[in-house]
Amino acid sequence: SSTRSTAELPQVAEVPDPEVDEGVGMDTTTVDHTAAAIEILEALNRRDLEDAAARLHPEYRASWPDTDLDGHDAFAREIAMLTGLPDTHFAIERATALVDGRVLVEATVSGTHTGELALPYGVAVEATGRAVSLPFLFVMSFVDGLLHR
């Protein structure tokens, strides 16, 4: 039997600890929110934005590479992404409850780039008509059964 040094082992990305507001208690491992996480993405697949918005905590916050956005601004940016890829579909491959109460959702996001795509840092990409398919990881935290971050 051969042994491998740790330098030869595949590297595993660490999921950073969530930022927790002192006034908001994050649900812990006593509650499994995988179904709630899946329901949000399924609502987006159906384009039921009202249902998706109803599943957001009043203090909802989303992290993007260029900024963190609160509430309406966060949801508006996410909807803007759907505008550039109007047939966006989240193919959920796995949803895992993490030990700290968060949910890790592994999905493939696909769609056709038929509209202007608003990206972080103010980048806008005109429609190309090309199909897009990307692996995506969502790390979600819930408070009172609603998506908080």
Side-chain angles (χ1 to χ4, degrees):
S1 114
S2 66
T3 59
R4 295 169 60 180
S5 74
T6 55
E8 296 171 350
L9 295 175
Q11 298 300 308
V12 177
E14 289 191 28
V15 178
D17 288 335
E19 295 177 20
V20 178
D21 297 334
E22 293 301 320
V24 177
M26 186 182 309
D27 290 336
T28 62
T29 57
T30 59
V31 179
D32 180 348
H33 293 290
T34 55
I38 291 168
E39 288 167 1
I40 291 168
L41 295 175
E42 287 178 347
L44 293 174
N45 281 341
R46 294 188 310 273
R47 300 301 179 267
D48 189 343
L49 303 182
E50 189 174 312
D51 182 28
R55 297 172 186 278
L56 301 179
H57 189 275
E59 296 178 16
Y60 174 64
R61 185 174 177 91
S63 296
W64 288 81
D66 59 339
T67 190
D68 284 350
L69 296 172
D70 293 322
H72 175 76
D73 291 337
F75 195 59
R77 187 169 206 180
E78 292 156 359
I79 299 311
M81 294 289 293
L82 295 176
T83 302
L85 302 163
D87 61 345
T88 297
H89 180 78
F90 300 92
I92 300 165
E93 293 149 18
R94 183 178 352 209
T96 307
L98 302 177
V99 296
D100 62 1
R102 294 181 295 167
V103 176
L104 173 66
V105 179
E106 301 170 66
T108 299
V109 181
S110 60
T112 309
H113 184 198
T114 58
E116 182 177 276
L117 186 59
L119 299 174
Y121 302 104
V123 174
V125 180
E126 293 299 320
T128 64
R130 293 183 177 175
V132 177
S133 180
L134 300 167
F136 236 77
L137 295 176
F138 297 92
V139 180
M140 302 173 165
S141 62
F142 292 82
V143 173
D144 299 328
L146 300 173
L147 181 61
H148 181 255
R149 191 159 172 96

